[in-house]
Amino acid sequence: FPELKNIKLRKWQEKSVAKLMLKIQNLKNKKYFNFTITAEPAAGKTLAICAKAKILKSRRMSDFLIIGVPLTSIKRNWVKTAKNKFNMNIVEDLTNVGASRWNGNPPNDIDGIVVTYSQIAAFPDAYKVLVSNNNTLFIADEVHHISEELKWGLALNDIFADNANIISCTGTNFRSDKNKINFLDYEESGKVISDVRYNYKQGLIDGVLRPTEFTFFNGNQVWKEGDKIIKANFKDKLDKQGKSRILRTALLVNSNGYIDSMIKTMDRKLKFQQMHYFTNAKGLIFAMNQSHARQIAKRVKLLVGETPFVAITDNKTTSKELNEFNDSNYVYCVAVRQPGEGFDAPNISAIGYATNIKQEGPFRQMVARGTRKIPNIGDNFQIANIVLPLDQDLKKFADQFKKDK
């Protein structure tokens, strides 16, 4: 592809571009294409898709790009990759009022926009006009957030389905509510049909993803139900309510509890890596809520002497700080959920699971924040260390993750 002569793509990324061009060639009577990429988080989906957008723009097969994302914090990575690698100008701070003022005619000096799904769903008419007035390529990032049955999905389907070319991408092509995902095709068995698949094992073989190591903590937990005192550990047989209560109890920020053990373990593993060439190794902790995140940050400061960056909102300021975290002086980040999908910080190599979220999709996204490999550092010194409670659902997710190797 002459348009990509100065861009170094991995083999799977090159093949994905070729597959798209072949699909377009074989469209026959269809006006628009749907192209689906299922690739492990941190595998390089953003670069692969921007390469496709560049070719389509250069060959006048598309003249405007709309990128949809679930979170504001994801926007910056799209903007940086498009600009630095392909000299494409993507606007990230467009408001719905601003979009409506364009009246379907964006300025000539921009190649596209990146907006959140909630933003599009709040003012769909502005984007309908953009799509109808332009040969639009719509990129649905982390497309599993868009359900055919819910508000975002209904709005986006009305705007883009059969009105634009669509590239959908995700690292987890399923939803915990079992609803179908917009723009994806399914086999009769219910399995998603992907044009391109790139899994964790392939990433390990290609040397672009790190191996992972899971460290589990058990321990007795005590809580009160009415007048009754309950004492249990994660290996005990518990009903659904009991499983929920023991996890929430373990996640309480108490002296010498799970949170303290998690922090100390993460710090020990980070210090080992920092002593062996991985000098900027960092830790990321996922908390239950904002108050919980602040409490954990205080424990980090008390136990290891580091003041963490606390990310508890999804706005432009937090997004900017998150994107600077990788090269900052912070060693730890404590977050609620913001730095899951699309958060690019390769120096993260220790992850503390301190949230009560027990769904496989979010679990894999959180783990994947530590799997992006850094060149020229030995594998033994940049293993992704995941520290978590011995909750049986989380153990099952971890076992499946390891099985995928």
Side-chain angles (χ1 to χ4, degrees):
F1 301 101
E3 297 91 344
L4 306 178
K5 63 181 179 180
N6 296 320
I7 304 298
K8 186 176 181 180
L9 296 179
R10 298 167 189 159
K11 285 185 179 179
W12 85 264
Q13 294 168 327
E14 287 183 351
K15 287 180 180 178
S16 73
V17 175
K19 284 187 175 182
L20 173 62
M21 303 314 293
L22 184 61
K23 185 164 192 173
I24 293 172
Q25 187 178 330
N26 295 327
L27 273 178
K28 297 180 180 178
N29 296 326
K30 291 184 179 180
K31 188 175 181 181
Y32 301 105
F33 66 76
N34 260 17
F35 191 82
T36 302
I37 299 174
T38 300
E40 192 69 24
K45 294 189 295 291
T46 305
L47 183 66
I49 293 171
C50 283
K52 296 172 181 63
K54 178 68 174 180
I55 288 177
L56 295 178
K57 175 94 174 182
S58 300
R59 299 185 184 186
R60 298 184 179 179
M61 301 167 78
S62 168
D63 56 26
F64 194 68
L65 177 62
I66 299 178
I67 305 167
V69 297
L71 294 168
T72 300
S73 54
I74 299 177
K75 290 182 176 182
R76 171 78 349 212
N77 192 39
W78 281 101
V79 173
K80 282 170 56 181
T81 302
K83 184 65 177 177
N84 295 343
K85 299 292 185 180
F86 303 98
N87 198 30
M88 297 172 66
N89 184 19
I90 306 297
V91 174
E92 65 176 311
D93 54 2
L94 180 70
T95 64
N96 284 342
V97 172
S100 67
R101 286 175 178 166
W102 285 353
N103 198 26
N105 299 300
N108 293 329
D109 61 344
I110 72 167
D111 296 295
I113 57 175
V114 54
V115 288
T116 62
Y117 294 133
S118 61
Q119 185 177 343
I120 297 173
F123 197 175
D125 288 349
Y127 301 94
K128 279 184 183 179
V129 176
L130 269 174
V131 171
S132 63
N133 280 23
N134 298 275
N135 185 6
T136 304
L137 171 62
F138 176 59
I139 295 170
D141 188 18
E142 305 296 355
V143 70
H144 55 274
H145 283 272
I146 313 171
S147 166
E148 290 182 349
E149 307 297 325
L150 301 176
K151 181 181 177 182
W152 288 2
L154 292 171
L156 270 71
N157 194 65
D158 185 46
I159 297 168
F160 298 106
D162 299 321
N163 296 311
N165 293 311
I166 299 172
I167 298 177
S168 303
C169 65
T170 178
T172 47
N173 60 7
F174 55 87
R175 288 177 57 89
S176 57
D177 61 12
K178 308 302 181 185
N179 284 336
K180 285 191 172 182
I181 300 168
N182 277 54
F183 313 128
L184 303 191
D185 295 320
Y186 289 80
E187 297 176 355
E188 288 186 8
S189 64
K191 185 179 180 181
V192 169
I193 300 171
S194 296
D195 295 281
V196 175
R197 287 183 179 273
Y198 188 82
N199 61 28
Y200 180 57
K201 181 179 178 180
Q202 289 170 299
L204 290 173
I205 292 170
D206 291 346
V208 297
L209 298 179
R210 294 180 188 137
T212 52
E213 182 180 284
F214 292 92
T215 301
F216 292 94
F217 281 93
N218 191 3
N220 290 319
Q221 306 298 329
V222 180
W223 67 93
K224 195 172 183 181
E225 290 183 5
D227 295 329
K228 192 176 180 181
I229 302 296
I230 308 295
K231 184 176 181 179
N233 66 56
F234 285 107
K235 291 185 177 180
D236 292 334
K237 287 187 177 181
L238 299 169
D239 59 17
K240 186 176 180 180
Q241 182 179 350
K243 289 178 180 178
S244 176
R245 285 299 302 269
I246 191 173
L247 180 58
R248 292 187 71 91
T249 302
L251 297 178
L252 293 174
V253 183
N254 296 321
S255 179
N256 298 318
Y258 162 70
I259 296 297
D260 281 9
S261 297
M262 176 195 73
I263 293 168
K264 291 174 183 177
T265 301
M266 290 177 67
D267 196 62
R268 186 172 67 253
K269 292 179 179 293
L270 285 174
K271 281 186 168 60
F272 172 80
Q273 292 176 322
Q274 290 163 355
M275 287 170 59
H276 296 86
Y277 310 109
F278 196 176
T279 55
N280 205 20
K282 295 178 181 292
L284 173 62
I285 300 171
F286 289 98
M288 290 189 289
N289 52 49
Q290 293 186 4
S291 174
H292 193 229
R294 294 188 183 98
Q295 291 174 38
I296 291 174
K298 289 179 181 178
R299 295 304 292 177
V300 172
K301 173 65 175 175
L302 179 67
L303 294 171
V304 302
E306 296 284 351
T307 300
F309 166 54
V310 182
I312 55 177
T313 57
D314 182 38
N315 56 36
K316 191 173 180 180
T317 300
T318 302
S319 174
K320 181 176 181 295
E321 291 173 334
L322 279 172
N323 280 286
E324 293 172 349
F325 173 69
N326 189 66
D327 299 315
S328 71
N329 292 324
Y330 287 111
V331 175
Y332 289 91
C333 173
V334 184
V336 180
R337 280 195 64 175
Q338 286 72 24
E341 296 149 325
F343 178 46
D344 184 16
N347 286 325
I348 292 172
S349 65
I351 292 175
Y353 205 93
T355 175
N356 58 335
I357 295 171
K358 295 203 293 181
Q359 297 167 352
E360 188 172 9
F363 175 88
R364 293 183 75 98
Q365 290 285 351
M366 292 182 196
V367 169
R369 294 318 104 201
T371 58
R372 192 183 299 269
K373 193 171 182 181
I374 295 178
N376 305 318
I377 297 177
D379 287 355
N380 292 334
F381 305 128
Q382 58 170 320
I383 290 172
N385 295 288
I386 320 299
V387 185
L388 63 171
L390 190 59
D391 174 271
Q392 293 308 299
D393 290 325
L394 299 180
K395 180 72 164 57
K396 181 175 66 176
F397 300 154
D399 288 345
Q400 183 60 49
F401 195 92
K402 288 187 287 185
K403 185 180 176 182
D404 289 348
K405 292 193 288 187

